[in-house]
Amino acid sequence: MTVTPLAHWPADYPSDYAVVDVETTGLRSSDRIVSVAVELLDRAGTVTDRWSTLVDPRRDPGPVHIHGLTPERLAGAPTFDRIADDLAEYLDGRVLVAHNAPFDWGMLASEYRRLDTPWPMRRRLCTMALARHLELPIGDYKLATLAAHYRVRQLRAHDAVDDARVLGEIFRYGLHEAAGAGLPLPLTVPDSGSGLRRAAAARKRLPERAAVAKAPCPWTNPGRLDLAVGLVQGMRVAFTGDAGNAREQMERQATEAGLYVATSVSGKTSVLVTNDPGSGSGKNRAAARLGTPVIDEATYVRLLARVLPGTAVDGAAVRLPAPRTESEPTSRGGAVAEVAPVAEAAPFQAVVPPSAPAPAVESVRPPIRPTVRQVLVLQGRDEHGEGGRVRQLVLESGARLRINLTSTVDTVVVLPGAAADPRIARAQAFGAVCLTEAQWHASLAESPAPALDRTGADTATAASEGAGAGNLPRGGTIRLPGGANPGRWTLNASWAWDRPDEDIDIVAFLLDEHERVRGDSDFVFWNQPVAPLDVVALDASGPAEQTVTLELDALPRDVRRVVIAASVDGTSTFAAVGPIEIDVAPFQTTSFVRSVLDAATVERVLLLGTFYRHGAGWKFRTEGQGYEFDLAGLAGSFGVEIA
């Protein structure tokens, strides 16, 4: 295939990523890390650095049959407190990328919490969520499946170093597919503190100084500062305390001079700049422990005026191979096939915003489009009723209704109020056709939707057979496979990326036979995201997507139902939010059943779905019932004590 440079790169994409994999003694937050590996990627997904280490957990290493790390192999490895500063230097200021990111994030955050040391990261991205957004033509979201899809060779599964390498390559492909489609990345801002901080972060209201982009330093690190020699390009410089000059300016000047601005002090740090070396800050303590040179601001400014040239780092650009499609051979050898560029759709009146220039990178081929039509309905702010009506017609036509624009959307129905929506131009750029409602109806008459496969089967038939049911209507039920032991399931809720500036909170209630919680710990929400024994967990940090994970096999017998709901924060209602898509699936697999709830207007809370015991097994029901009272009213109705 022909690989062509991207014309534009989304301006709001992050500039630096840290791809991370950890191996642990178990799956709970009380377990310990036995191995960690990091790959640093730049804005375009090119590897700029790597780091890894074994870690002595000071306990039994756990599932040796999985990670292969015996007590003998871990003997002599550093404990986490000895590697925490070095690791923080790689992580700080970057976006953590991981497969099932809440797990890696939680394990690392727990280790730093034990040391009473600030966790150095703010944002994360899960490659499972990215694969789901890209609608990849795969059967599940396991790392091995994604590796096979992108033709990335795995050498040692469950080895942190190899898993990080494989994941870095997978993420690079997904990053370019998302950029080519203009798709927002599923970035989340987790927070273990107060709900006020979580809400502020979601609204981007946290005061935050501008960070210097962590572009790879083109010079090798010459080591620690020698005052007799001075600063040399490639040195790693850290800052702490109140500086007389603006910190941002000092960091920017350091970068322009060829120095690397380190956000923590480690054995690789060349010098720490501070006007208060006795402050007792974490960087000062680390510098004292490691023997790192410390200078004041005035000395630093004087040295900065004559930085000596450094030794250049040799490096070569990485060329992206084509991801494998279902029609391509699995062999990695042979010539690269060429694919003709996608023809542009007919022009549609739209307003196209300016885009940031693309980095010098290459795009990958658009993914295979599914046989069932993928339809997005765009509406104006005052067209909620019309939008809901058209979306219902889309569902009835047998097409797959989409809530957000992805590269798999092939048809966009544009209502009059959305004629200037910038997503129209993006959809046309990767081959989607944009139609008015009248043109949509005409296209159905000319080319009826193809017969649906298993993912779009009739709901009643699928429910009776226990198969996946595609679109489950409001009030529809379906039996979960597995009988009394269905295993681990997820409910993912998503809504439009251009939603109003209010938070939407997903919550869960564990109810007994009397439709009441057994105690306040059975209420799972942003400030209490995990139920006892980790049987229900909430990842509630996304701007327009949140996920509930349920260990159905482990739920206590007196928990008969788990009700999942959504609540609008502030004064807004669900009329301003628009449709919410819920996607129910076994953990790490593609959708088992989907629903789109689009009837809410004045409601402030909305029941999404219920997992409930039925005979010897489990079922799921789509709810869609809304209420005008707030979340406190809903929680109180289930017996939660509201202070």
Side-chain angles (χ1 to χ4, degrees), residues 326-627:
E326 300 303 319
S327 59
E328 290 180 311
T330 57
S331 171
R332 297 178 62 87
V336 180
E338 293 190 356
V339 175
V342 178
E344 293 188 1
F348 195 97
Q349 185 177 0
V351 175
V352 182
S355 301
V361 294
E362 296 172 330
S363 65
V364 295
R365 177 175 54 192
I368 304 170
R369 293 194 183 276
T371 56
V372 176
R373 295 178 75 169
Q374 310 282 298
V375 182
L376 173 69
V377 178
L378 297 181
Q379 66 188 53
R381 289 194 175 273
D382 298 326
E383 294 179 318
H384 179 73
E386 287 300 297
R389 178 182 60 79
V390 174
R391 279 186 287 271
Q392 182 60 37
L393 294 174
V394 170
L395 287 173
E396 293 173 356
S397 74
R400 164 76 195 281
L401 178 63
R402 302 310 311 276
I403 301 302
N404 287 294
L405 177 63
T406 71
S407 56
T408 57
V409 170
D410 52 50
T411 305
V412 180
V413 180
V414 184
L415 299 186
D421 195 308
R423 288 173 291 181
I424 296 171
R426 295 207 304 268
Q428 291 174 330
F430 55 77
V433 58
C434 298
L435 307 172
T436 65
E437 182 185 352
Q439 291 170 330
W440 158 254
H441 289 300
S443 72
L444 288 180
E446 296 173 1
S447 178
L452 299 184
D453 58 12
R454 179 180 175 275
T455 59
D458 173 73
T459 300
T461 302
S464 65
E465 296 175 355
N471 293 308
L472 192 65
R474 176 180 176 182
T477 63
I478 189 168
R479 186 174 64 248
L480 305 184
N485 301 107
R488 194 178 187 188
W489 283 71
T490 60
L491 182 146
N492 181 265
S494 59
W495 44 93
W497 290 101
D498 59 345
R499 64 176 176 81
D501 189 31
E502 277 91 9
D503 283 335
I504 298 176
D505 293 314
I506 304 299
V507 299
F509 300 90
L510 285 65
L511 305 179
D512 61 18
E513 60 180 342
H514 303 296
E515 304 293 311
R516 309 281 285 183
V517 296
R518 301 167 305 163
D520 289 351
S521 61
D522 284 346
F523 176 32
V524 176
F525 66 114
W526 48 263
N527 206 33
Q528 184 174 268
V530 181
L533 302 179
D534 297 340
V535 292
V536 177
L538 171 67
D539 183 8
S541 49
E545 179 178 31
Q546 298 179 19
T547 302
V548 178
T549 302
L550 307 94
E551 301 281 0
L552 294 179
D553 294 1
L555 281 172
R557 290 297 304 176
D558 54 346
V559 173
R560 308 301 298 173
R561 300 198 306 151
V562 179
V563 175
I564 300 170
S567 170
V568 181
D569 191 20
T571 59
S572 191
T573 69
F574 277 98
V577 176
I580 292 184
E581 180 179 43
I582 57 176
D583 189 307
V584 177
F587 185 70
Q588 286 195 335
T589 69
T590 52
S591 178
F592 177 74
V593 66
R594 295 184 177 96
S595 294
V596 177
L597 301 178
D598 197 27
T601 53
V602 298
E603 295 87 344
R604 296 183 62 196
V605 295
L606 182 68
L607 301 184
L608 301 181
T610 301
F611 292 85
Y612 63 99
R613 299 183 189 272
H614 184 268
W618 284 83
K619 281 190 171 184
F620 174 78
R621 177 172 62 246
T622 300
E623 299 290 355
Q625 177 65 49
Y627 302 94

Side-chain angles (χ1 to χ4, degrees), residues 251-334:
E251 293 181 350
R252 188 172 295 107
Q253 289 172 340
T255 301
E256 292 171 351
L259 307 175
Y260 182 92
V261 177
T263 49
S264 63
V265 174
S266 72
K268 297 181 180 180
T269 305
S270 304
V271 61
L272 174 65
V273 180
T274 178
N275 285 336
D276 188 7
S279 68
S281 70
K283 291 180 181 178
N284 274 318
R285 294 197 308 270
R289 185 177 72 252
L290 297 169
T292 304
V294 179
I295 60 176
D296 60 20
E297 179 190 346
T299 302
Y300 166 75
V301 171
R302 175 172 54 82
L303 295 176
L304 190 65
R306 52 180 183 88
V307 177
L308 299 177
T311 303
V313 176
D314 293 330
V318 179
R319 184 177 179 84
L320 295 174
R324 183 177 62 84
T325 67
E326 300 303 319
S327 59
E328 290 180 311
T330 57
S331 171
R332 297 178 62 87

